[in-house]
Amino acid sequence: MTTSTAHGPGLDAELAYARRMDRIDGLGHYRARFIGTEADAPTPVVYLDGNSLGRPTRATLDRMARFVTGAWGSGLSRSWEEEWMDLPLRIGDSLGRAALGAAPGQVFVGDSTTVMLYKLARAAVDARPGRNEIVVDTDNFPTDRYVLEGIAAERGLALRWITSAPAGGVTAGQVRDVVGPRTALVLLSHVAYRSGFLADVREITRVAHDAGALVLWDLCHSAGAVPIELDLWAVDLAVGCSYKYLSGGPGSPAFGYVRDDLQNLLVQPIQGWMGAAEVFSMGPEYAPADGIRRFMSGTPAIVSMLAMQDTIAMIEEAGIEDVRAKSVALTEFAIALVDEWLTPMGVTLASPREHTHRGGHLTINHWAMREVTATLWQHDVIPDFRAPEGLRVGLSPLSTSFVETYEGVAAVRDVLRGILLARSGLVPPERGQQSGTGL
Ligand SMILES: *Cc1c(COP(=O)(O)O)cnc(C)c1O
């Protein structure tokens, strides 16, 4: 990429590059299938937070309307038997096929990620009696760490912390150093929520198994963006969000994976009627169902399972390998822009440079990022902020274009430049905020 001096409204080399990339992008046409992309949005939003809440699809708009009048409005309670009772398992199978490398009967859609983590982690530690440690890393997502603290207190276990590099993540070597005959469970994230570091699931799983421990992988920031091979990698348990790259909508429930041969050996702690062997016999005592159904608890959140079906179908159609190739191209482009425009202003990349170690998002650090993010939101440019000084750039492969990526990083550049100029006293704040393109 050439250095551009003209950052005004004219066409610069980076914008020309972004437009060319969009033209030759084999997945470019998927963008128009999402609500809020240029074609139908009066003020197009530059969205860099699809890794936190994915954009909705147009197909979902139709599906929701059909659902209200059809299966719900006309089918009424008959629809439980006709289609809803098995829906969490059917969606699980299609997700397993499209994005998780999981054969049927091992994935279901259930509770929130937090509750699902609790259920599977508790089941796992109970299946390793005599072992009293759970391995987790210091930079894992708060809910993952908090849930484990609770389980440790409840079961008299100790947490064994791996200190993860904030701009990197947990390596197989670090796991090898802490696991042993005391380890019951290892819980790690496939893609780190802050740095975007991509962990070596296969190798770390092997290391944990060599020590006799079970592994639970958190796939929240990888499902739908990074190819996953749960069966091939011999993973025991996994949990992931559906409202991030899977565009399930705010608060849509998580999916859980339990490997076939483990299912009937594990007992999860939220013993509800939907996970019982005979749901409608309403018997006096709980007896768990065989197979994956035993990990269910209460009435499934059917309304919240509508949207994800459209995204899962889209991912299967596009092919997860191609989705990943686009994701890598987007993050490479964003890093090139950061290097060129933002590094001279003191911004540092807090994500792996090597794409083989990186998921679908980046974090860039600067002391002014809290203010930068707040200003960008007012101008319909939406990244998110992660304390203490990180701006997270999430690039959803099916809905984000190269031009959108260009516009987002250019907006960060212009707002940051304005703030720095204002601080240096060279221009009053009002003018500083307005300098540059498009804002
Ligand atoms: C987003 C995310 C969660 C969210 O959990 P909820 O129960 O859905 O709030 C948990 N873990 C990780 C790693 C995440 O990225």
Side-chain angles (χ1 to χ4, degrees):
M1 187 171 304
T2 56
T3 305
S4 164
T5 47
H7 287 145
L11 190 68
D12 55 32
E14 296 78 10
L15 181 55
Y17 176 84
R19 289 191 175 154
R20 192 164 68 248
M21 290 299 282
D22 280 334
R23 266 198 312 275
I24 63 173
D25 175 11
L27 302 186
H29 60 282
Y30 284 101
R31 177 171 164 81
R33 296 209 212 164
F34 290 85
I35 307 276
T37 52
E38 281 91 345
D40 78 341
T43 14
V45 168
V46 173
Y47 195 47
L48 306 177
D49 207 11
N51 61 326
S52 181
L53 178 69
R55 287 183 187 270
T57 65
R58 283 171 205 286
T60 293
L61 200 58
D62 299 336
R63 183 190 288 274
M64 290 205 169
R66 279 198 318 270
F67 174 83
V68 173
T69 53
W72 182 11
S74 307
L76 293 163
S77 61
R78 288 174 297 188
S79 292
W80 277 114
E81 214 172 291
E82 286 162 13
E83 52 182 300
W84 296 334
M85 283 299 280
D86 290 328
L87 188 66
L89 310 182
R90 283 204 310 278
I91 298 176
D93 285 348
S94 58
L95 177 61
R97 191 173 62 233
L100 306 180
Q106 304 176 102
V107 182
F108 74 111
V109 181
D111 319 274
S112 70
T113 302
T114 301
V115 172
M116 194 83 100
L117 280 167
Y118 174 74
K119 287 161 67 168
L120 298 191
R122 248 287 304 260
V125 298
D126 288 353
R128 285 290 180 275
R131 290 172 173 252
N132 64 352
E133 285 184 359
I134 306 175
V135 171
V136 62
D137 71 297
T138 51
D139 205 42
N140 210 331
F141 192 83
T143 223
D144 300 55
R145 293 181 277 112
Y146 301 163
V147 161
L148 291 188
E149 282 176 21
I151 291 175
E154 191 178 32
R155 291 316 225 201
L157 309 173
L159 298 187
R160 188 76 191 264
W161 294 98
I162 293 175
T163 306
S164 40
V170 178
T171 64
Q174 285 180 302
V175 176
R176 200 173 287 116
D177 288 345
V178 298
V179 294
R182 286 205 290 268
T183 315
L185 174 68
V186 176
L187 166 62
L188 296 169
S189 285
H190 185 197
V191 170
Y193 81 103
R194 225 195 289 255
S195 70
F197 179 87
L198 181 63
D200 186 345
V201 175
R202 183 178 217 162
E203 184 57 22
I204 291 174
T205 298
R206 187 180 300 144
V207 167
H209 285 171
D210 286 349
L214 292 168
V215 285
L216 169 51
W217 282 100
D218 186 319
L219 308 177
C220 281
H221 279 284
S222 59
V226 179
I228 296 166
E229 293 289 350
L230 292 176
D231 290 350
L232 192 68
W233 298 338
V235 166
D236 302 306
L237 304 157
V239 166
C241 280
S242 64
Y243 51 81
K244 292 172 178 168
Y245 293 108
L246 299 179
S247 283
S252 64
F255 62 86
Y257 167 91
V258 182
R259 202 183 62 230
D260 223 339
D261 59 303
L262 274 178
Q263 289 170 4
N264 289 351
L265 304 175
L266 299 184
V267 180
Q268 59 95 355
I270 313 289
Q271 303 183 345
W273 70 308
M274 284 286 163
E278 290 178 51
V279 176
F280 290 106
S281 72
M282 313 267 171
E285 274 158 21
Y286 175 79
D290 276 341
I292 193 72
R293 188 177 271 286
R294 68 167 53 195
F295 298 93
M296 291 176 56
S297 295
T299 302
I302 300 298
V303 178
S304 293
M305 293 181 194
L306 298 177
M308 67 178 82
Q309 297 176 58
D310 296 309
T311 325
I312 292 167
M314 212 185 276
I315 290 168
E316 182 157 35
E317 183 189 314
I320 190 68
E321 297 294 338
D322 287 2
V323 169
R324 169 65 176 165
K326 164 102 185 261
S327 168
V328 168
L330 286 171
T331 52
E332 293 280 347
F333 179 50
I335 289 174
L337 296 178
V338 167
D339 286 344
E340 186 178 342
W341 294 335
L342 306 184
T343 305
M345 288 193 272
V347 171
T348 55
L349 178 67
S351 297
R353 257 182 195 280
E354 178 54 53
H355 71 80
T356 51
H357 297 304
R358 191 176 68 231
H361 69 270
L362 311 172
T363 291
I364 51 178
N365 284 348
H366 190 283
W367 57 262
M369 285 312 187
R370 188 187 294 273
E371 191 182 340
V372 170
T373 306
T375 305
L376 288 172
W377 281 32
Q378 289 169 7
H379 291 95
D380 282 337
V381 176
I382 311 180
D384 69 7
F385 176 74
R386 284 291 174 268
E389 55 170 28
L391 180 144
R392 216 166 49 155
V393 179
L395 303 165
S396 245
L398 291 175
S399 61
T400 310
S401 65
F402 287 87
V403 167
E404 188 175 29
T405 305
Y406 165 90
E407 287 172 343
V409 183
V412 173
R413 174 198 67 200
D414 295 341
V415 169
L416 180 59
R417 183 191 287 144
I419 290 170
L420 296 181
L421 282 174
R423 290 288 155 95
S424 72
L426 293 177
V427 286
E430 315 79 60
R431 277 196 52 211
Q433 300 280 325
Q434 285 163 9
S435 73
T437 56
L439 285 177

